Amino acid sequence: MSRRRFDQAMQLMRERDPRVREKAFDFLREHADGYVDELIAEFAAEREDQDLGCWLLELIAEARAAQALAVFRDQLESREEPLRFWAVRGLEMLESREADQLLEQARANDWIF
């Protein structure tokens, strides 16, 4: 996948027009598995736009990539319910033993239900 296309899509996801943002999101959702590392880096750097952060975490979940395990683990303790939701969903979508263990531990610690 082209880094240029990823950068363009990320720029469009920061636009004010919801239709433009959604179109860029749809493009990235279709190609999330090819941009996992870039999506993780964007998520780690995002501090200002909570909605964009949630969308990025959703895209990372859609990629179903093992390297996202730590991202999801870290968000299980988030104060933001949408981030916890996508962390849980991402771990469920990984369908791995490690992901299941993290979910069990989070439930035992009452971080999630």
Side-chain angles (χ1 to χ4, degrees), residues 2-100:
S2 163
R3 176 63 194 218
R4 186 175 68 83
R5 295 210 25 152
F6 176 81
D7 291 340
Q8 288 173 336
M10 285 306 306
Q11 183 177 7
L12 293 173
M13 283 188 66
R14 289 183 170 87
E15 292 289 325
R16 291 183 184 256
D17 185 339
R19 290 174 290 179
V20 171
R21 289 175 66 132
E22 192 166 323
K23 187 174 179 181
F25 174 83
D26 289 341
F27 167 79
L28 288 172
R29 184 176 49 208
E30 290 177 27
H31 303 285
D33 59 334
Y35 292 120
V36 177
D37 294 328
E38 292 90 341
L39 290 166
I40 290 171
E42 288 288 336
F43 178 77
E46 184 55 51
R47 300 284 180 249
E48 296 178 21
D49 187 339
Q50 180 182 356
D51 291 336
L52 180 58
C54 288
W55 273 16
L56 289 167
L57 199 56
E58 180 178 351
L59 290 168
I60 295 166
E62 287 289 332
R64 294 174 171 87
Q67 66 257 46
L69 188 74
V71 175
F72 299 138
R73 179 197 62 225
D74 293 346
Q75 293 309 308
L76 287 174
E77 294 184 67
S78 173
R79 293 178 185 222
E80 304 298 329
E81 190 278 328
L83 293 176
R84 283 193 316 273
F85 172 84
W86 283 110
V88 169
R89 187 69 184 118
L91 289 168
E92 291 171 344
M93 292 169 78
L94 285 179
E95 297 180 347
S96 72
R97 183 176 191 189
E98 295 86 0
D100 290 344

